[in-house]
Amino acid sequence: MRSMIPDYLDEVLAGVRADASGQTASYIPELAAADPERLAAAFATADGEVYGSGDVDVEFTIQSISKPFAYALALSDRGVEPVLAKIGVEPSGEAFNEISLESDTGRPRNPMINAGALTAHTLAGGARLDAGERVERVVEGLSAFAGRPLEIDEAVWASEMAHAHRNLAIAHMLRSHAIITEDPMGVVDGYTRQCSVLVTTRDLAMMAATLANGGVNPLTNEQVVDAAVVRQVLSVMATCGMYDAAGDWATRVGIPAKSGVAGGLIGALPGQVGIATFSPRLDVHGNSVRGVSLFERFTSDMGMHVMEVPPPARAVVRSNKVRGEGDAATRILRLQGGIRFAGAERVVREVVDSAPTEPRVVLDVSLVHSIDDVARRILLEVVRRLTLDGHDVYLVDPERVMPDPDPGDGGRLTVVDDLQHALQPERGSAVSAQHVLGESQIPSGQSAVDHDRGTSG
Ligand code: GLN
């Protein structure tokens, strides 16, 4: 069989190709001269498969799409609080090059408008770097997101620098508020080099996929930034990535995104896919006209809106049965799917409602593919309470989807590879709490809900 995904991409590109509305960016002569007919779209999955259609290997400058990545580097290199002290996270509802700062603090409103992006550029890398080393850090960081070494287009850089009066004005304002402490000219120079990094649509899809994959580049497997940084970046992309069209985008498309004035556009769908499009003609907000249409199409065809409500967790409990009788009776709860808070709550309710009297209780997670942290804590507390109620509890977990299965004080859990081992108990490996009831030994943050009940004997 041939994959239908490239066919689909061909078809959606054909659907928007005829739209010649909008204009290439006029304020950067090199961009104004770009071929406006270029058109490309690419998907990169969180496990590294790339699908493309159209001019996916044509290079163009990254422009503002560098902003979320430079912000990620700043957060990673300096920490969240020092960055927040200098750059806000409020949507500005303003154009990308608006000359505005928060009236009380002088902070740029967010890192996606130029004022915030100029500041973020100065925060990438350590505090002691000079302007050249800072640019090196940024280019190396962008390359790590893309999974290949990227280079600066000197012609585009020079072309923008010759007309950079507005960014210089912003940088001088930032300097006057001591938001940046370096020479404004050098900052604009470095930021403009950052914007002049050459990428292809394929690169951009991979950069977006690195965000979608929690900061790990799917090709190189490098952890470029950590998951907490990615969450911060995706949140800001979702609220501010499309400038004064951000609300419209959030409702119509609903994918954390960022546009650039060379015509690139990226979207990162957490846990699934990085998407990139390229088409140089821009709308009045500076967003690619056909890029926006393509993303609208992707969302409506494939339900990619991040606020799309997923099916409820009802199906987490696949079955709840009793095997054997008397002393040999075993209650078996078979769970399935991915378990998060709501799924774990369904399991709690199932156990509470069935009030097991059998000596043994088995939680079978062989068909579960993931258990997040809150679900893990809740399920282990179920185990602990069942132990305290006098049951022997088993976890059938051949793939070890339950990380660190220690139920804590007074809990006892035997982890086995299959149901047969649970029914013949001598063959499992027991994980039991080493401490007596009433002494909480679980580190905070790991502790399961409501530890007091049952332990304060
Ligand atoms: N280098 C451009 C600028 O600062 C980037 C703007 C953009 O892509 N929206 O004006």
Side-chain angles (χ1 to χ4, degrees):
M1 187 197 83
R2 223 168 67 103
S3 169
M4 66 293 289
I5 295 171
D7 301 346
Y8 168 75
L9 287 174
D10 290 346
E11 183 203 314
V12 287
L13 285 198
V16 303
R17 194 174 290 277
D19 183 357
S21 59
Q23 236 105 61
T24 53
S26 58
Y27 72 107
I28 304 176
E30 278 287 315
L31 296 185
D35 177 358
E37 299 306 327
R38 294 288 191 198
L39 183 63
F43 289 175
T45 64
D47 64 358
E49 188 68 29
V50 182
Y51 299 96
S53 178
D55 304 314
V56 280
D57 294 313
V58 169
E59 291 192 315
F60 53 94
T61 52
I62 189 168
Q63 298 299 339
S64 286
I65 301 170
S66 64
K67 291 171 179 174
F69 298 102
Y71 181 55
L73 298 175
L75 292 164
S76 188
D77 294 344
R78 302 291 179 101
V80 174
E81 288 310 321
V83 173
L84 278 178
K86 300 244 177 193
I87 312 168
V89 288
E90 295 304 329
S92 65
E94 287 167 348
F96 68 89
N97 57 1
E98 196 63 34
I99 304 183
S100 78
L101 304 176
E102 273 173 12
S103 52
D104 46 345
T105 59
R107 280 190 321 170
R109 291 208 164 72
N110 67 66
M112 300 294 117
I113 55 172
N114 286 12
L118 285 158
T119 309
H121 177 84
T122 70
L123 297 173
R128 274 190 262 284
L129 301 189
D130 66 28
E133 291 165 335
R134 179 108 46 234
V135 170
E136 263 175 48
R137 165 64 183 135
V138 170
V139 174
E140 163 213 282
L142 296 179
S143 301
F145 276 107
R148 74 167 183 109
L150 302 175
E151 279 166 21
I152 292 169
D153 184 327
E154 301 285 335
V156 173
W157 164 76
S159 175
E160 181 165 3
M161 280 309 285
H163 303 267
H165 307 298
R166 204 175 169 100
N167 282 338
L168 281 165
I170 296 171
H172 279 287
M173 272 189 39
L174 291 166
R175 180 70 188 84
S176 78
H177 283 93
I179 297 292
I180 63 172
T181 50
E182 297 158 34
D183 165 39
M185 180 71 198
V187 172
V188 171
D189 185 290
Y191 160 80
T192 306
R193 285 178 196 277
Q194 169 191 313
C195 290
S196 303
V197 164
L198 283 167
V199 287
T200 64
T201 307
R202 195 184 287 278
D203 290 328
L204 287 180
M206 193 53 72
M207 294 175 84
T210 301
L211 294 176
N213 193 35
V216 176
N217 181 296
L219 270 189
T220 63
N221 279 321
E222 182 187 348
Q223 180 92 50
V224 182
V225 292
D226 68 29
V229 166
V230 170
R231 192 180 71 177
Q232 177 83 7
V233 171
L234 290 176
S235 305
V236 171
M237 286 167 70
T239 51
C240 315
M242 301 299 277
Y243 311 119
D244 40 345
D248 207 28
W249 179 270
T251 48
R252 289 163 71 95
V253 179
I255 299 174
K258 190 69 204 79
S259 61
V261 285
L265 182 52
I266 63 163
L269 201 58
Q272 293 200 63
V273 65
I275 303 173
T277 61
F278 173 47
S279 171
R281 278 186 288 252
L282 310 178
D283 63 18
V284 290
H285 309 288
N287 299 328
S288 165
V289 173
R290 292 188 295 188
V292 171
S293 303
L294 287 169
F295 271 85
E296 286 176 352
R297 178 84 200 264
F298 295 149
T299 285
S300 76
D301 286 351
M302 296 185 279
M304 287 176 160
H305 198 297
V306 289
M307 298 298 170
E308 198 81 53
V309 178
R314 197 184 308 124
V316 161
V317 181
R318 184 185 174 93
S319 64
N320 175 3
K321 291 188 185 133
V322 176
R323 278 219 208 159
E325 280 171 45
D327 284 355
T330 306
R331 179 169 294 270
I332 304 163
L333 279 105
R334 298 186 72 203
L335 312 182
Q336 64 184 3
I339 311 184
R340 301 175 69 182
F341 171 77
E345 185 277 338
R346 280 295 294 120
V347 177
V348 171
R349 204 158 4 126
E350 189 74 23
V351 175
V352 169
D353 291 351
S354 47
T357 52
E358 301 74 24
R360 277 193 300 224
V361 177
V362 175
L363 295 178
D364 183 347
V365 295
S366 334
L367 295 177
V368 170
H369 57 76
S370 63
I371 299 175
D372 79 356
D373 188 54
V374 65
R376 170 186 165 274
R377 287 185 274 140
I378 291 173
L379 294 180
L380 290 175
E381 181 63 7
V382 166
V383 170
R384 201 182 66 86
R385 291 182 182 211
L386 285 171
T387 314
L388 294 175
D389 288 348
H391 302 275
D392 279 336
V393 191
Y394 295 85
L395 183 74
V396 180
D397 186 10
E399 310 283 338
R400 301 293 183 262
V401 292
M402 173 81 87
D404 187 17
D406 180 352
D409 293 346
R412 189 169 190 283
L413 179 63
T414 306
V415 182
V416 295
D417 283 344
D418 57 49
L419 192 57
Q420 284 321 309
H421 284 83
L423 298 172
Q424 297 158 20
E426 66 283 359
R427 291 160 71 187
S429 69
V431 176
S432 51
Q434 293 151 356
H435 300 280
V436 291
L437 300 184
E439 281 172 40
S440 179
Q441 296 293 325
I442 304 182
S444 60
Q446 298 262 308
S447 81
V449 284
D450 187 12
H451 258 280
D452 292 332
R453 208 168 2 135
T455 61
S456 56

